[in-house]
Amino acid sequence: MTLRFGIIGYGGMGGWHKRHIEALEGMEVVAIHDIDPARVEAGKAEGLKSYLHLQDFLSDPDVQVVIIATPNDVHMELAIASAASGKHVVCEKPVALSSAQLDEMIATAQRHNVVFTVHQNRRWDKDFRRVMNALRARLIGEPYIIESRVHGPNGAIHGWRGKKIHGGGMLLDWGVHLIDQILWMIKTPLKSVFCRMRSVVNQEVDDYFRLEMEFVDGLIAHVEVGTMCLEPLPRWHVGGTLGTIRIETFTDEGCLTVLRRAAQYNSGPLVDTGAGPTRTFGKVNGVEVCRSPLEDPKTDSNDFYRNVKAAIEDGAELIVKPEEVRKVMKVMEAGFESNRTGMPVLFSERNLN
Ligand code: NAD
């Protein structure tokens, strides 16, 4: 059976969804809705039923699943209207501007018995899967620090992403992906969130943030995004009791460095090294290290759509569950609060897990 999608917001990401879905078996995009007449014309030129008015689009019985790919501030109203019209809903990230908005979206989807999920597509990124697979296989022992960064040189944030009113800024735009990856990989309850945000070259919204999550077992996860960085730090740097993972970019195979046998921690005399006089950071004594690339995780981000189809047609479990998205939203809210107060937000105390 062919599952028929309609897209609300036929801009950059709306077109991306169309291109991906039309390459998949058993799925097709039949309609779009956009408030910009030029985008409606673009849809028509591609042979899609193209609507300028939301109600006309939602009244089209051909559309079974609505993908919402508009600026962030209108996700909630569009998701609620779509679910209330009996359509299944796939919403772009960040799902909403607050967990209260998300709760309304979830409640409406439940009331109308439709599937509701969020396009957290970076769960399928190769760099992330390399780290997740290595941690699951315990290749570096017990992790104590995970650093996940995206640094770029482009400075100013363009378009609606640079406006607060539209839900712009890097914590909402990219933080949502990086936090989602960490929480999907690490199932330990969170202890606290601490965050600092800056507007380096933008007037209105954050173009730099660093957010730290501490888990109850002591693991620290640090996520950081900066748009004004000409010398990027590695995409991932992960430290464990038996080794270290370093991945430079979204596409390289990374480097796994592990101890071949237990370290004999240097207890010899102080030595003069390239690092000056130090025992701690001098040459490692009697320890062999082994460096290797991380295995190709062979991911396919189209599994997101296949899962949506399976959830609608066969009741399969969603890969991106609304309750997981809600926890990410709670972490971002804690990030904004921490930035405002200068204090960490204690997750365990407020029972936010
Ligand atoms: P965009 O500006 O390129 O496109 C947005 C489109 O929505 C425009 O055509 C605009 O006219 C239309 N629009 C605005 N308000 C509308 C409304 N009320 N009703 C109907 N249409 C409306 O933006 P984009 O880059 O495509 O981003 C859209 C969404 O996709 C955002 O939520 C963004 O965070 C998300 N996104 C996700 C990823 C990802 O990897 N998952 C990547 C990029 C963008």
Side-chain angles (χ1 to χ4, degrees):
M1 220 163 41
T2 298
L3 186 66
R4 297 180 306 275
F5 289 78
I7 299 172
I8 302 185
Y10 202 48
M13 208 52 200
W16 191 93
H17 283 294
K18 155 107 176 356
R19 289 192 297 281
H20 278 246
I21 289 171
E22 70 189 8
L24 295 174
E25 231 170 83
M27 288 175 249
E28 64 176 324
V29 175
V30 293
I32 63 116
H33 156 60
D34 202 297
I35 53 171
D36 177 354
R39 297 310 302 155
V40 173
E41 288 310 311
K44 279 184 190 158
E46 292 169 25
L48 298 167
K49 291 193 268 182
S50 302
Y51 299 100
L52 188 59
H53 299 292
L54 177 64
Q55 273 322 317
D56 296 340
F57 170 86
L58 291 178
S59 304
D60 186 335
D62 242 11
V63 175
Q64 296 170 285
V65 192
V66 171
I67 297 183
I68 296 167
T70 61
N72 306 332
D73 55 315
V74 286
H75 286 179
M76 178 182 73
E77 65 192 59
L78 294 169
I80 287 178
S82 303
S85 304
K87 314 287 189 192
H88 303 289
V89 177
V90 173
C91 189
E92 261 306 341
K93 50 49 61 174
V95 64
L97 303 187
S98 69
S99 57
Q101 287 192 348
L102 173 57
D103 286 346
E104 280 192 52
M105 296 158 87
I106 294 173
T108 309
Q110 283 171 349
R111 219 171 24 252
H112 293 275
N113 202 22
V114 294
V115 168
F116 171 57
T117 188
V118 180
H119 190 229
Q120 292 294 161
N121 51 319
R122 292 196 175 273
R123 290 187 185 187
W124 283 267
D125 281 8
K126 284 202 172 204
D127 58 290
F128 163 64
R129 289 289 179 110
R130 283 190 159 99
V131 172
M132 185 167 84
N133 293 350
L135 293 188
R136 288 204 173 147
R138 300 194 62 76
L139 297 184
I140 59 165
E142 197 67 45
Y144 60 90
I145 176 78
I146 302 175
E147 295 184 14
S148 163
R149 285 194 178 79
V150 178
H151 279 163
N154 289 331
I157 300 172
H158 60 92
W160 60 263
R161 282 181 179 75
K163 304 278 176 215
K164 252 193 187 125
I165 195 167
H166 293 304
M170 283 298 118
L171 181 56
L172 283 168
D173 194 42
W174 268 88
V176 68
H177 283 306
L178 305 192
I179 295 165
D180 180 68
Q181 289 178 336
I182 297 287
L183 295 184
W184 200 50
M185 173 165 64
I186 306 294
K187 299 301 181 193
T188 315
L190 258 180
K191 186 176 165 195
S192 65
V193 170
F194 182 68
C195 180
R196 309 305 284 148
M197 301 164 78
R198 295 289 180 266
S199 297
V200 180
V201 292
N202 290 266
Q203 302 299 315
E204 236 184 272
V205 296
D206 62 294
D207 49 22
Y208 174 85
F209 76 85
R210 60 198 301 174
L211 181 144
E212 195 172 283
M213 289 170 265
E214 186 181 352
F215 293 85
V216 293
D217 61 359
L219 170 66
I220 296 166
H222 166 119
V223 299
E224 180 179 319
V225 174
T227 65
M228 180 51 216
C229 177
L230 306 185
E231 293 290 350
L233 286 166
R235 172 74 187 84
W236 294 92
H237 196 265
V238 185
T241 48
L242 297 176
T244 308
I245 294 167
R246 182 183 170 104
I247 302 179
E248 294 296 332
T249 65
F250 286 101
T251 49
D252 70 83
E253 55 192 8
C255 182
L256 167 71
T257 305
V258 290
L259 298 175
R260 218 186 271 283
R261 58 194 166 86
Q264 295 159 9
Y265 291 107
N266 196 334
S267 56
L270 186 101
V271 286
D272 220 353
T273 70
T278 174
R279 287 186 187 86
T280 313
F281 295 103
K283 192 163 163 270
V284 188
N285 234 6
V287 175
E288 292 171 59
V289 295
C290 169
R291 292 195 171 82
S292 57
L294 287 150
E295 231 173 78
D296 184 344
K298 306 223 181 318
T299 64
D300 180 357
S301 66
N302 286 331
D303 284 346
F304 174 82
Y305 302 108
R306 294 187 187 104
N307 174 246
V308 168
K309 182 170 160 70
I312 291 169
E313 293 178 355
D314 310 319
E317 194 179 13
L318 283 170
I319 294 176
V320 182
K321 300 175 183 50
E323 62 270 22
E324 294 168 345
V325 176
R326 189 171 186 277
K327 189 164 173 189
V328 175
M329 201 73 234
K330 288 279 183 192
V331 170
M332 291 195 295
E333 284 175 341
F336 283 111
E337 178 182 336
S338 168
N339 180 57
R340 217 168 34 243
T341 62
M343 303 290 287
V345 171
L346 296 181
F347 249 64
S348 34
E349 267 183 18
R350 292 201 205 164
N351 203 14
L352 293 173
N353 279 296

